Amino acid sequence: MSQRPTLRDVARQSGVSEISVSRVMRNAPNISIKLRARVEAAARELGYTPNRLAGGLKSQTSGLVAVVVPSMSNNVFPEVVDGIDRILFLSSRRPVLGLTHYDSDREERIIRDLLSWSPSGIILAGLEHSDGSRRMLENANIPVIEIMDIDGTPIDTAIGISQHDAARAMADHLVDRGYRRIGYIGAWGEAPSRSLKRRLSFEERLNERDTPLVARLIAPEASSISVGRAACAQILADSARLDALFFANDDLAVGGLLHCMVSGIEVPGQLALAGFNGIDFIDAMPQQLTTIQTPRGKMGEAAAQALIDRSSHEARQSIVDLGFILRARDTT
Amino acid sequence: MSQRPTLRDVARQSGVSEISVSRVMRNAPNISIKLRARVEAAARELGYTPNRLAGGLKSQTSGLVAVVVPSMSNNVFPEVVDGIDRILFLSSRRPVLGLTHYDSDREERIIRDLLSWSPSGIILAGLEHSDGSRRMLENANIPVIEIMDIDGTPIDTAIGISQHDAARAMADHLVDRGYRRIGYIGAWGEAPSRSLKRRLSFEERLNERDTPLVARLIAPEASSISVGRAACAQILADSARLDALFFANDDLAVGGLLHCMVSGIEVPGQLALAGFNGIDFIDAMPQQLTTIQTPRGKMGEAAAQALIDRSSHEARQSIVDLGFILRARDTT
DNA sequence: TTGAAAGCGCTAACAC
DNA sequence: GTGTTAGCGCTTTCAA
């Protein structure tokens, strides 16, 4: 089996210099049609594909985009990654993945690791990072796009929604609907900083509205429908007479809804339920869950696009609020 | 802001040659403890991180692992990717992602693209690829791990389950339970070749058992709970007196279950339901769905491990059957 | 156990 | 519009 052909092979084959081949392959300007045709023919004939490692080494930018998110076994980040990929695909950039599992030491190690491939930019979830991580990102001299959350100071660009505003909107919604004995259910031990932020803003707003939170249950396990179902059963057993429950996400909330269905608790008559995220499958439930719709795919797309734009222009420190929608439906 | 330090800087700082630093960084054998200590101190002081582009260019292997899957907005591939990442993390390899959206032209383009970064190996879903894709993979001279499906001829190594056996097992299960008027519901227009394979094997087995399929509905849209719910309603309206339904996946099946709950159809008394995959959230439903449990995380882990092992050893053409479990539960 | 030389495949910078 | 030169940062020989 022959070696993979190089620029040099194409140059020989087509009788031009290597740099000319390089220019054709990169669609550089000022190339005669004739030369382009000749080179392209030779490249096709040899089955040439550029070596991006070599190109990246020389040009200091690899076309790889580091993507650092907590996890894939979760309904939100896969959609974000889908969005990122959709945009990167258009410019032959590719995402390199790193999963932190909500562990900031691991995040730091992953960032260091990913930077060693000289990525053209990095997209990461959240605004909270270890000092070491921040330092690396600031010194990396590439676009740094922080996604999901915009309540804070981005290293470079933040794209997402205000978790703070979203939580307050839900608090207002529940109080406006007349609920007075409101509880909250979370999971993961609140490792995802965004869910913690949401709960605090939610409680804060409830206080402002003179309707303080009545009960709170943060499950230690990873968030899931089953966990939501069990947590809902438990919080109702512990603290009687709740009239509404806000869940850290839709998975938990669907669990709550199932608990109510099975236990004959009337929703929202006896108990109102609200989730967060607006994942697809809640639409299929017998009752339409009230939730906050977040633009996950769009966050990915916008992040990738910002990264690409940033590579040429030179803006800094921008914050892009993609907004959320409170979908008030059957369960409140 | 200073430039990123290079091997040369570390070499100067510690008063040794570049190659010695290189050896220390890579944990090469035959390094004196003293030299190692000196180099490591200098590297730490300078905040040195290797440039993997340069290393990869020279050594012809980048430490990147190409991962080519259909989609992330789906319950199965994110778990596979999670598994891959878990293993790759241990050896500082990183996955570079490409999403095909079940389009083999796009897959070919993505494979070409990813190969241009000289990945250390490639993991891709399924055994069906375009001729161009196969040729590239055969010539790439790196480990090629095909996952999910093992019914066919792998390019190099296949790791997954027999879709054929799984479908037959479900057919047997339904017939053994006494169901005689069995229907099938799919989605995506059966673009995922695996679901097509499953249906064919399912029908084949039903014929062998003298219980041919009574009705079949393949929705054109992407698979989801809502689609399953609608499809279930429709197939029951079209073809009266079905007593069991096998769905291409759990999402669809849960949709079916919801339809039955809402329409007052007794499960499994009036209609039995079975899914495929064994995704987490079916455990939270009021009735436990009968399904085929597939080892998705394990497939990812095994694929990554095989890729790493293959990089040193030299086996070829192996097939690893990870097996499935038929979980017969409440709905059949 | 350590080092010197050469070069992986490409592109930036500068000619012409 | 095209070519020459140099070198990105590392690792693979090969030698000591």
Side-chain angles (χ1 to χ4, degrees):
Chain A
M1 199 190 58
S2 60
Q3 280 306 300
R4 185 172 155 191
T6 69
L7 261 196
R8 167 183 242 112
D9 298 319
V10 181
R12 282 213 188 102
Q13 174 90 359
S14 53
V16 301
S17 69
E18 292 182 30
I19 185 66
S20 290
V21 179
S22 168
R23 290 204 255 254
V24 170
M25 299 314 292
R26 284 176 294 137
N27 279 313
N30 300 334
I31 298 287
S32 68
I33 299 186
K34 206 171 144 189
L35 190 150
R36 149 158 283 121
R38 208 139 57 103
V39 168
E40 276 172 349
R44 208 170 314 110
E45 194 177 329
L46 295 174
Y48 171 75
T49 28
N51 182 330
R52 302 277 236 127
L53 251 33
L57 174 59
K58 180 66 193 178
S59 66
Q60 310 280 14
T61 173
S62 61
L64 295 168
V65 172
V67 174
V68 182
V69 294
S71 157
M72 283 289 140
S73 49
N74 169 309
N75 284 298
V76 2
F77 294 107
E79 290 182 46
V80 172
V81 171
D82 244 344
I84 292 173
D85 185 81
R86 255 194 307 278
I87 299 301
L88 294 186
F89 181 74
L90 303 175
S91 60
S92 297
R93 280 168 241 245
R94 294 282 85 213
V96 205
L97 220 56
L99 306 184
T100 67
H101 300 280
Y102 296 105
D103 172 343
S104 77
D105 283 349
R106 192 172 169 125
E107 180 181 67
E108 183 168 334
R109 211 183 126 186
I110 285 172
I111 290 172
R112 189 189 325 285
D113 224 75
L114 291 179
L115 289 179
S116 71
W117 275 284
S118 308
S120 303
I122 180 167
I123 297 173
L124 60 172
L127 294 165
E128 280 78 34
H129 314 288
S130 70
D131 291 347
S133 296
R134 287 192 81 90
R135 213 171 311 120
M136 284 190 283
L137 294 170
E138 282 160 0
N139 293 333
N141 220 15
I142 54 174
V144 176
I145 318 289
E146 290 166 287
I147 55 173
M148 310 311 288
D149 186 5
I150 59 170
D151 306 313
T153 309
I155 294 172
D156 170 351
T157 294
I159 296 180
I161 67 164
S162 167
Q163 307 286 334
H164 175 75
D165 291 354
R168 292 171 70 89
M170 184 59 84
D172 280 334
H173 170 73
L174 294 177
V175 175
D176 290 347
R177 286 276 214 231
Y179 300 108
R180 290 293 175 270
R181 297 190 51 81
I182 301 174
Y184 177 89
I185 286 177
W188 289 106
E190 290 191 325
S193 59
R194 290 170 290 288
S195 68
L196 174 59
K197 280 187 187 179
R198 282 203 298 269
R199 176 172 64 77
L200 294 177
S201 297
F202 182 67
E203 292 190 17
E204 180 187 81
R205 184 57 180 163
L206 287 183
N207 287 334
E208 289 174 17
R209 299 290 305 266
D210 296 319
T211 316
L213 195 72
V214 171
R216 173 205 310 151
L217 176 58
I218 313 296
E221 313 96 294
S223 167
S224 73
I225 298 187
S226 310
V227 167
R229 192 171 163 181
C232 182
Q234 197 188 321
I235 204 171
L236 292 177
D238 292 354
S239 21
R241 297 204 306 104
L242 294 178
D243 60 11
L245 270 176
F246 179 36
F247 294 79
N249 60 51
D250 289 342
D251 300 73
L252 295 172
V254 166
L257 186 51
L258 287 170
H259 171 73
C260 291
M261 283 170 60
V262 170
S263 314
I265 297 170
E266 196 192 321
V267 175
Q270 289 176 264
L271 182 68
L273 303 174
F276 191 94
N277 273 335
I279 60 182
D280 280 352
F281 79 70
I282 60 172
D283 292 347
M285 296 297 292
Q287 284 187 291
Q288 304 282 293
L289 185 72
T290 289
T291 192
I292 301 258
Q293 181 71 46
T294 60
R296 296 177 299 285
K298 214 166 199 170
M299 284 187 209
E301 291 178 0
Q305 193 58 57
L307 191 152
I308 292 169
D309 295 346
R310 169 60 53 77
S311 302
S312 26
H313 312 52
E314 262 311 326
R316 284 266 137 179
Q317 285 275 113
S318 48
I319 292 185
V320 180
D321 186 347
L322 259 26
F324 57 85
I325 299 171
L326 195 154
R327 293 166 71 189
R329 308 199 295 177
D330 301 346
T331 61
T332 53
Chain B
M1 199 190 57
S2 59
Q3 281 306 301
R4 184 172 156 192
T6 69
L7 261 196
R8 167 182 243 112
D9 298 319
V10 181
R12 283 214 187 102
Q13 174 89 357
S14 53
V16 302
S17 69
E18 293 183 30
I19 183 61
S20 291
V21 178
S22 168
R23 291 205 256 252
V24 169
M25 300 315 291
R26 283 176 295 136
N27 279 312
N30 300 336
I31 298 287
S32 69
I33 300 188
K34 207 171 144 188
L35 190 151
R36 151 159 281 124
R38 209 138 56 105
V39 169
E40 277 173 349
R44 207 169 315 112
E45 194 176 330
L46 295 174
Y48 171 75
T49 29
N51 182 330
R52 304 276 237 127
L53 252 33
L57 174 59
K58 182 66 195 182
S59 66
Q60 310 279 16
T61 174
S62 61
L64 295 168
V65 173
V67 174
V68 181
V69 293
S71 158
M72 282 289 139
S73 49
N74 171 310
N75 284 298
V76 3
F77 294 106
E79 289 181 49
V80 172
V81 170
D82 244 343
I84 292 173
D85 184 82
R86 254 193 308 277
I87 299 300
L88 293 186
F89 181 73
L90 303 175
S91 60
S92 297
R93 280 168 240 246
R94 293 282 87 214
V96 206
L97 221 56
L99 306 184
T100 67
H101 300 279
Y102 296 105
D103 172 343
S104 77
D105 283 348
R106 192 171 168 125
E107 181 182 65
E108 183 169 334
R109 211 183 127 189
I110 285 172
I111 291 172
R112 189 189 325 285
D113 223 75
L114 291 178
L115 289 179
S116 72
W117 274 285
S118 309
S120 304
I122 180 167
I123 297 172
L124 61 172
L127 294 165
E128 280 77 35
H129 314 288
S130 69
D131 290 347
S133 295
R134 287 193 79 91
R135 213 172 310 120
M136 283 190 282
L137 294 170
E138 281 160 1
N139 293 333
N141 220 17
I142 54 174
V144 176
I145 318 289
E146 291 166 285
I147 55 172
M148 311 310 289
D149 186 4
I150 59 169
D151 305 313
T153 309
I155 295 172
D156 169 352
T157 294
I159 296 180
I161 66 164
S162 167
Q163 306 286 334
H164 176 75
D165 291 354
R168 291 171 70 88
M170 184 58 85
D172 280 333
H173 170 72
L174 294 177
V175 175
D176 290 346
R177 285 277 215 232
Y179 301 109
R180 291 293 175 269
R181 297 191 50 80
I182 301 173
Y184 177 88
I185 287 178
W188 289 106
E190 289 191 327
S193 59
R194 290 170 290 288
S195 70
L196 174 59
K197 280 187 187 178
R198 282 203 298 270
R199 175 172 65 76
L200 294 177
S201 297
F202 182 67
E203 292 189 16
E204 180 188 79
R205 185 57 180 162
L206 286 183
N207 286 333
E208 289 174 17
R209 299 290 304 266
D210 297 318
T211 316
L213 195 73
V214 171
R216 174 204 310 150
L217 175 59
I218 312 296
E221 314 95 295
S223 166
S224 73
I225 297 185
S226 310
V227 167
R229 192 172 162 178
C232 182
Q234 197 189 318
I235 204 171
L236 292 176
D238 291 353
S239 22
R241 297 205 308 104
L242 293 178
D243 60 11
L245 268 176
F246 179 35
F247 294 80
N249 59 51
D250 289 340
D251 300 74
L252 295 172
V254 166
L257 186 52
L258 287 170
H259 171 72
C260 292
M261 282 169 60
V262 170
S263 313
I265 298 171
E266 196 191 319
V267 176
Q270 290 176 263
L271 183 68
L273 303 174
F276 192 92
N277 273 336
I279 60 181
D280 279 352
F281 80 70
I282 60 171
D283 292 346
M285 296 298 291
Q287 284 186 291
Q288 304 280 293
L289 185 71
T290 288
T291 192
I292 300 258
Q293 181 72 45
T294 60
R296 296 178 298 286
K298 215 167 199 172
M299 285 189 208
E301 291 178 359
Q305 193 59 58
L307 191 153
I308 293 169
D309 294 346
R310 168 62 52 78
S311 303
S312 25
H313 313 51
E314 264 312 326
R316 283 265 136 179
Q317 284 274 117
S318 49
I319 293 185
V320 181
D321 186 348
L322 259 26
F324 58 85
I325 299 170
L326 195 153
R327 293 166 72 189
R329 308 199 295 178
D330 300 347
T331 60
T332 53

